[in-house]
Amino acid sequence: MVDGLSFDVRDAELLAVVGESGSGKTTALKMLNRLIEPSAGRVYLDGRDAGELPAHLLRRQIGYVFQRVGLFPHLTVAENIAVTPRLLGWGKQRIAERVGELLELVELEPDFAHRFPDSLSGGQAQRVGLARALAASPPLLLLDEPFGALDPLTRDHLQQSLDRLRRKLGLTVMLVTHDASEALLLADRILVLRQGRLIQLDTPSALLSAPASDYVDRLLAAPRRQAQIFDQLASGSARA
């Protein structure tokens, strides 16, 4: 549930949404592509009221990556990536070329095209999920805790890959994460939610230097503490 929530996602920025469990992060994300219909207010995509489009047509214009990926197990990697282009009526040659481009973009070898999801690691599956979301070059990419189930090394590698990819392509991204450190590392701006209400929307540096409430300050306490520990450890190593 969200209450009186109003914000924008700027062109080519990554907006991260953070908050405790139940704060409304995923609800806000799902309202953008009408997986949840807003009970009041409007959602605009490229200046157009999203409510004017049939929901299934709207979703073809928005990329969506889930934490558990949700690849179709009976389809190959190439067929999974091609789902939206096929719905849009693309020809076979165009689809094949796009699949090849996307596998390269997400740093997977061409032979992955013929593999099935059950043969992929968690990181590989998440890359395929990202490729599928980007298949039709959507103006907006929604990420719902996409790295939360991954081990730390894979998660760090994918975070770096996402950062490179979205800067290279000029992607507009909204990222929901429970990890404040992830938001600080990746986001241009961070939206802090609590009990469905917007508490603060600002750049990472502004949130760190001027938190709008005790809640925001507490939310950022762990990343601050971790940074201090790393600095102390690095200083100790340098002295040794």
Side-chain angles (χ1 to χ4, degrees), residues 69 71 77 103 106-109 112 115-131 150 154 158:
V69 191
L71 299 178
V77 164
L103 287 175
V106 299
E107 303 170 4
L108 290 174
E109 296 297 322
F112 274 83
R115 293 173 61 174
F116 284 87
D118 63 1
S119 71
L120 305 177
S121 69
Q124 291 165 350
Q126 200 59 272
R127 290 180 185 278
V128 175
L130 180 58
L150 301 174
T154 302
L158 283 181

Side-chain angles (χ1 to χ4, degrees), residues 82-95:
V83 166
T84 298
R86 281 195 176 125
L87 290 171
L88 293 173
W90 291 20
K92 290 184 178 180
Q93 183 62 33
R94 185 182 178 189
I95 289 175

Side-chain angles (χ1 to χ4, degrees), residues 160-180:
Q160 293 181 54
S161 295
L162 171 64
D163 192 53
R164 288 193 299 269
L165 186 62
R166 69 108 177 172
R167 293 181 188 279
K168 177 180 180 180
L169 299 179
L171 297 174
T172 302
V173 182
M174 185 170 168
L175 167 70
V176 163
T177 178
H178 65 276
D179 186 341

Side-chain angles (χ1 to χ4, degrees), residues 159-239:
Q159 286 172 344
Q160 293 181 54
S161 295
L162 171 64
D163 192 53
R164 288 193 299 269
L165 186 62
R166 69 108 177 172
R167 293 181 188 279
K168 177 180 180 180
L169 299 179
L171 297 174
T172 302
V173 182
M174 185 170 168
L175 167 70
V176 163
T177 178
H178 65 276
D179 186 341
S181 296
E182 182 171 80
L184 291 167
L185 287 170
L186 294 177
D188 297 301
R189 292 188 301 154
I190 299 173
L191 189 160
V192 181
L193 280 178
R194 188 182 192 192
Q195 297 178 346
R197 292 181 175 273
L198 191 157
I199 304 300
Q200 189 168 0
L201 173 55
D202 220 324
T203 63
S205 59
L207 259 69
L208 285 167
S209 61
S213 69
D214 289 341
Y215 175 74
V216 178
D217 195 40
R218 292 196 305 273
L219 203 63
L220 300 176
R224 281 202 201 93
R225 185 169 58 253
Q226 291 165 356
Q228 290 169 356
I229 292 171
F230 292 150
D231 286 344
Q232 291 168 2
L233 290 171
S235 298
S237 299
R239 286 195 296 271

